[in-house]
Amino acid sequence: MSLALAARDLDALESQVQAALRSGDYRDFDVLGHGEDTLVLKVRTGEGTFACKRLPPFPDYERFQRYQDTLADYVRRLRAQGITVAPTELRYLPHGRSGGVAYCVQEALPPARLCSNLLHTRDLGWAKSFFARYLTTIERAAGPTLGLDAQASNWFDLDGELVFVDVTTPFLRDSRGREQVDVDLLLTSLPWILRGAVKACLLKAATDKYYSTRGIVLDFLGNLRKDRLEPLVPVFLEQANEVLDNPLSSREVARYYAGDARMWALVQRLRKADRFWQRTVRRRPYPFLLPPAIRR
Ligand SMILES: Nc1ncnc2c1ncn2[C@@H]1O[C@H](COP(=O)(O)OP(=O)(O)O)[C@@H](O)[C@H]1O
Ligand SMILES: [Mg+2]
């Protein structure tokens, strides 16, 4: 499948990104959205309008190919479990001898249909019916070897169908619980000081939640706060507890969010310090597009 973003348009985007990384000025980008890690850029061409997410750099093509295979497996598994995944394509741009960069390319979907936006613009009846569909979808898909980061900002509602977009972290484990993705690769955008520690002890704890309905729902509810949607928490809790064996409480949601927010705020601060160090002391461009500060 090809989403038909022409090579020259992708090259032009990458040149623009390179210039922005050198200058630190992101104003020329048309940003569709962002998560904790990166920006999703809008590219309009004669062929259509695309959502392009720049991934952490790859040291070589082989590492890229392995990641591409894992991502393809992941999308296949999600689809087999009944999740509608937005058509997604990975594109690789070699960077001379120093590896390459890759973009995750999707069709740009209408921001008004993003579920975290719809939960603001539609009424309570819509919210409840959305969450009922959401719970069914998650329950059917999540399990010990297949997980997903299913915050409201990762779903679009297109003609009544929930469409999942955030697939660049493939939550796939083997039967012994080992992550299938090249974890080091995904952690390269973390300041080096964090990597060893994150890997050694935080990784399993940080990702376990994505492999169970309860953990996914806890993360979803906790993050409603970031989207200023807290009033919906009690409503959704009641719905969720109808299907969960081990019910959730609003205290657990609040405690979870406080912990999650603290962790991400720390990562964000360390990244900024790292960027400052690289640019002013080492005098080289910082290689990642950082999202703007997130209000928590
Ligand atoms: N295909 C798309 N069309 C339109 N907007 C998108 C698309 N993919 C992502 N976005 C926007 O970018 C945001 C971040 O994208 P996401 O894939 O969730 O990245 P992250 O891993 O940083 O959370 C989304 O919440 C949404 O606002
Ligand atoms: Mg996301």
Side-chain angles (χ1 to χ4, degrees), residues 119 122-131 231-232 235-236 239:
L119 289 170
R122 303 294 299 267
D123 62 12
L124 188 61
W126 187 87
K128 285 184 178 170
S129 77
F130 155 78
F131 199 60
L232 289 171
V235 180
F236 288 165
Q239 284 178 274

Side-chain angles (χ1 to χ4, degrees), residues 149 153-154 166:
D149 170 357
S153 60
N154 293 339
D166 195 351

Side-chain angles (χ1 to χ4, degrees), residues 42 161 240 279:
K42 179 164 154 185
E161 183 172 35
R279 294 183 55 179

Side-chain angles (χ1 to χ4, degrees), residues 5-23 25-26 28-30 38-39 41-45 51-58 91-96 98-105 285-289:
L5 173 62
R8 62 172 188 286
D9 293 318
L10 188 61
D11 288 339
L13 176 65
E14 176 57 14
S15 306
Q16 199 191 348
V17 168
Q18 293 284 337
L21 290 173
R22 278 193 299 271
S23 67
D25 181 354
Y26 291 9
D28 282 345
F29 290 127
D30 207 343
T38 187
L39 298 175
L41 305 171
K42 179 164 154 185
V43 178
R44 202 188 299 264
T45 76
C52 301
K53 192 198 286 195
R54 193 171 186 265
L55 303 175
F58 288 84
R91 301 279 290 269
Y92 183 77
L93 298 173
H95 260 201
S98 55
V101 295
Y103 283 85
C104 171
V105 181
Y286 182 69
F288 310 105
L289 283 178

Side-chain angles (χ1 to χ4, degrees), residues 30-79:
D30 207 343
V31 176
L32 276 169
H34 62 83
E36 300 288 354
D37 277 328
T38 187
L39 298 175
V40 177
L41 305 171
K42 179 164 154 185
V43 178
R44 202 188 299 264
T45 76
E47 282 79 37
T49 308
F50 302 91
C52 301
K53 192 198 286 195
R54 193 171 186 265
L55 303 175
F58 288 84
D60 54 57
Y61 187 61
E62 206 213 314
R63 289 284 279 285
F64 168 75
Q65 277 183 313
R66 266 193 283 148
Y67 171 75
Q68 189 175 36
D69 289 346
T70 312
L71 189 98
D73 276 350
Y74 182 55
V75 170
R76 260 194 301 275
R77 288 278 313 274
L78 287 173
R79 288 187 175 141

